[in-house]
């Protein structure tokens, strides 16, 4: 076992042995999205992207790296600043190598620092305040601080008192995410 999991899976690895086949960012953009478009009645002009935890990080970086592809983005308890978290440093070292200058392209907080857009983009981030991963690994506040200062990102941040990282939190608040998305795609 390598000791790493898919916690930071929405990237294209550049370090051996991962670089040959670990290309989840490209998979989502070049295979998954086209497959959905080809097999379901969806509007390519009215897309949104959403995720939880690792998927929340994936939704944020895919959204920020592809302005105009999605109308909005939502994230539940996203891993937000992997360049600074222990899990992220371990995963990025394995997937991307020792050169930390290459890591920023796969970190939502770092992308938010330099993000530009002709008109502000819409992002909803929800986070439980009792999430045991919040302060050491998710680092959601880092993203909130940076995105909140960037005029190109219209951030709606909702900190949920008494909620942690897991299913009851998501089940309780998922309808808000659907409503948020509907505001932009319907």
């Amino acid at each position: 076992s390598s000791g790493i999991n898919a916690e930071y899976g929405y990237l294209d690895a550049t370090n051996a042995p991962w670089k040959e086949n670990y290309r989840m960012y490209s998979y989502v953009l070049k295979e998954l999205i086209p497959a959905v478009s080809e097999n379901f009645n969806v509007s390519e002009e009215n897309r949104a992207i959403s995720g939880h935890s690792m998927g929340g990080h994936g939704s944020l970086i895919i959204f920020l790296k592809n302005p105009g592809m999605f109308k909005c983005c939502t994230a539940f308890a996203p891993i937000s600043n992997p360049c600074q978290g222990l899990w992220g440093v371990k995963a990025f070292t394995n997937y991307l190598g020792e050169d930390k200058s290459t890591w920023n392209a796969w970190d939502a907080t770092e992308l938010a620092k330099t993000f530009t857009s002709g008109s502000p983009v819409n992002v909803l981030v929800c986070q439980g305040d009792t999430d045991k991963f919040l302060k050491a690994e998710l680092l959601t506040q880092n993203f909130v601080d940076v995105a909140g200062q960037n005029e190109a990102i219209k951030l709606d941040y909702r900190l949920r008192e008494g909620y942690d990282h897991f299913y009851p939190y998501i089940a309780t608040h998922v309808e808000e995410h659907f409503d948020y998305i509907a505001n932009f795609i319907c």
Side-chain angles (χ1 to χ4, degrees):
S1 170
S2 68
I4 26 178
N5 55 29
E7 285 301 318
Y8 298 92
Y10 296 92
L11 55 75
D12 286 348
T14 56
N15 202 35
W18 310 102
K19 68 181 179 180
E20 297 304 318
N21 297 306
Y22 204 87
R23 315 212 35 92
M24 289 301 292
Y25 174 80
S26 290
Y27 164 73
V28 170
L29 288 176
K30 295 177 182 174
E31 295 181 47
L32 181 61
I33 291 172
V36 169
S37 294
E38 290 169 14
N39 293 289
F40 298 94
N41 183 17
V42 296
S43 169
E44 292 186 21
E45 293 79 34
N46 290 310
R47 288 187 183 124
I49 189 165
S50 184
H52 168 251
S53 194
M54 168 201 49
H57 182 255
S59 68
L60 289 170
I61 66 166
I62 290 168
F63 181 75
L64 293 171
K65 288 169 82 73
N66 297 279
M69 180 178 263
F70 305 94
K71 295 286 187 182
C72 65
C73 173
T74 76
F76 280 103
I79 294 167
S80 299
N81 197 192
C83 287
Q84 301 300 318
L86 295 175
W87 296 338
V89 169
K90 182 176 182 179
F92 278 17
T93 300
N94 282 293
Y95 293 138
L96 302 172
E98 298 286 337
D99 181 1
K100 292 183 179 182
S101 69
T102 66
W103 295 7
N104 291 354
W106 304 106
D107 183 304
T109 298
E110 298 302 324
L111 289 170
K113 287 179 182 177
T114 59
F115 181 80
T116 60
S117 178
S119 59
V121 297
N122 299 288
V123 177
L124 169 63
V125 172
C126 291
Q127 176 66 59
D129 72 345
T130 63
D131 189 323
K132 68 182 181 179
F133 307 117
L134 178 58
K135 290 190 171 48
E137 296 300 341
L138 301 180
L139 304 170
T140 308
Q141 193 62 50
N142 294 359
F143 178 80
V144 169
D145 291 345
V146 169
Q149 294 297 314
N150 187 331
E151 292 181 5
I153 301 172
K154 185 176 177 188
L155 178 67
D156 183 347
Y157 178 54
R158 302 175 188 178
L159 185 63
R160 301 302 186 188
E161 185 177 339
Y163 284 94
D164 63 15
H165 194 78
F166 302 103
Y167 178 77
Y169 162 64
I170 297 166
T172 301
H173 299 289
V174 71
E175 191 170 326
E176 290 179 15
H177 286 245
F178 293 151
D179 291 342
Y180 182 87
I181 292 167
N183 286 327
F184 299 102
I185 67 170
C186 295

